Each structure stands twice: as structure tokens, then as C-alpha cells.
């Protein structure tokens, strides 16, 4: 199954080894789903990890391991189609990744994205909901 994880989940997993985001990262690394990412998302992770409120709690090495993992993900898109419709236009790239790969799920903690419920055939769900789906 192909899955797009919102950047906020990667950052949350770096900040806490407990909770649904960390469990999802572990599930991806264990091969439980195919991760869809893009150059744009990798750059966003690197940029956000430099924010003071995150940099204070997360080691440079941990960010480096995550970025290297993303670069080696199953599907790394170099170009994204133009897809709009996210409440925050800065999140349009997440919708584009989902649409471009026919992902089954886009997993996010963003309430505005969650309110969309789907994009094309991709279901938009919370981390806890997707963790429950994987637990079946």
C-alpha cells in the first residue's frame, strides 16, 4: 500500500519516540507500507528541522538519518503535478504526491487537511487512525 506521510509526522517522530507518528515511521522502516515522498518534502524536513523549537530537541544526526531514509524511500518524486485544493497552499505538494502515485492514504495531523477527507482516491486520515488500520 502506498502512503504519503505529512512532514509534521516526521518531525513529531523525531521529537518523541512514543505515539502514533513514531509507530508509523517504525512501520514504514519495517516494510509495512510503501512511503511516497518528494524532493520538496525532503527539503521541507531539512528546513523545519532547523527551526529553533525543533533544533533544541533533535540531534543533527537524527535529522540526517531521517533525511537519508527519505532519500532511499520506495517512491521519491522528482516532479509533482500541479494539484490545488489544500486549505493551506503550502500543503498542495502533499496532495500532489498522493494524486501522482495513487496513494491509498495521506496521513496528517493537520486538522485543515483532515477536513478534506480525501483527494482523488486517497483517503486523508490521522496518524492514530492509520496506526489502527495497520494494526488490523
Amino acid at each position: 500500500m502506498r502512503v504519503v506521510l505529512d512532514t509534521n509526522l516526521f518531525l513529531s517522530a523525531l521529537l518523541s519516540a512514543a505515539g502514533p507518528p513514531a509507530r508509523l515511521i517504525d512501520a514504514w522502516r519495517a516494510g509495512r507500507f510503501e512511503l511516497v515522498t518528494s524532493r520538496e518534502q525532503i527539503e521541507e524536513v531539512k528546513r523545519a528541522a532547523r527551526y529553533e523549537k525543533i533544533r533544541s530537541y533533535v540531534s543533527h544526526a537524527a535529522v540526517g538519518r531521517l533525511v537519508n531514509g527519505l532519500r532511499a524511500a520506495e517512491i521519491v518524486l522528482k516532479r509533482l503535478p500541479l494539484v490545488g485544493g489544500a486549505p493551506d497552499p503550502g500543503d498542495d505538494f502533499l496532495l500532489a504526491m498522493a494524486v501522482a502515485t495513487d496513494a491509498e492514504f495521506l496521513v496528517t495531523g493537520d486538522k485543515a487537511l483532515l477536513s478534506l477527507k480525501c483527494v482523488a482516491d486517497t483517503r486523508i486520515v490521522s496518524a492514530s487512525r492509520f496506526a489502527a488500520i495497520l494494526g488490523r
Side-chain angles (χ1 to χ4, degrees):
M1 117 181 59
R2 290 185 177 160
V3 178
V4 175
L5 297 179
D6 193 342
T7 306
N8 64 38
L9 298 179
F10 292 112
L11 298 172
S12 293
L14 285 174
L15 291 168
S16 172
R23 287 197 304 274
L24 295 182
I25 301 305
D26 290 344
W28 160 55
R29 289 180 173 150
R32 305 260 328 267
F33 60 87
E34 282 185 308
L35 179 68
V36 175
T37 190
S38 65
R39 288 181 177 173
E40 188 169 341
Q41 184 173 46
I42 293 168
E43 290 305 313
E44 184 177 58
V45 166
K46 289 169 34 180
R47 185 175 51 253
R50 289 191 296 266
Y51 297 157
E52 182 62 35
K53 63 184 178 182
I54 294 173
R55 192 174 39 151
S56 302
Y57 299 100
V58 178
S59 74
H60 183 70
V63 174
R65 282 190 300 275
L66 174 61
V67 167
N68 288 337
L70 291 173
R71 287 181 178 144
E74 293 79 5
I75 302 170
V76 181
L77 300 171
K78 294 179 174 127
R79 293 185 185 184
L80 296 174
L82 293 177
V83 174
D88 174 355
D91 290 331
D92 282 343
F93 79 97
L94 295 167
L95 303 181
M97 289 190 311
V99 169
T101 61
D102 294 320
E104 288 181 59
F105 295 95
L106 189 165
V107 185
T108 183
D110 183 314
K111 291 182 193 292
L113 279 177
L114 287 167
S115 72
L116 296 177
K117 299 191 190 232
C118 67
V119 57
D121 292 328
T122 302
R123 290 176 47 199
I124 302 174
V125 299
S126 68
S128 58
R129 177 72 185 122
F130 188 63
I133 290 167
L134 285 178
R136 290 184 191 159

